[in-house]
Amino acid sequence: MTIKKTVAAFFVMAAFSFTGGFVGQAVFAPKAADAQGQSDSYFALRDQKNAKGITTYVSDGQPGQVFYGENGQMRLQMGTYNGAGERGLPLLALSDTTGHIRLLFRLAGENESAVMIMKDKSGRDRVVMGLQLGGAGQEPFLSITGADGKSQNVFGTYR
């Protein structure tokens, strides 16, 4: 191989190396927010058929995870509340294909009682059952709400 061919091969190899390094940096380098440590609280996993996929996050110290359907609507959410009075209490929400919560499992109230809430398409609580939210006992309750919006305790006391 002549010197001319060796020098040409070197420059071709160098050009491809620099191009590869540039593309690798552009694709794999952290974004500015990542570099500043601000994105440690959010992670997303997706593919070509599901643009949102799964998001995992921490918000105000409380973790959560949301699973999205292929249509981009929330289907499953789990995590802990970050609001006052219920901070740190867990929840699990199941949503219909339009992203509306239809079934909610959670701990609630001063007793941190187990509660299951079934919602209609309008988002109204229609069936609520669980264990007494407050007081010394943790007696079971079942509360239903009719189409007229009137609630009644079948047994026990919800509120």
Side-chain angles (χ1 to χ4, degrees), residues 71 73-75 95-100 102:
N71 66 354
Q73 297 297 319
M74 180 178 72
R75 298 308 307 274
S95 300
D96 61 20
T97 56
T98 62
H100 294 98
R102 300 298 299 277

Side-chain angles (χ1 to χ4, degrees), residues 28-65:
F28 298 112
K31 296 178 179 76
D34 294 344
Q36 295 171 358
Q38 296 174 358
S39 71
D40 290 347
S41 61
Y42 179 85
F43 175 75
L45 182 63
R46 58 182 69 93
D47 71 4
Q48 293 80 14
K49 289 186 177 182
N50 191 329
K52 288 189 175 179
I54 303 169
T55 58
T56 301
Y57 59 90
V58 177
S59 175
D60 193 26
Q62 301 303 310
Q65 192 168 40

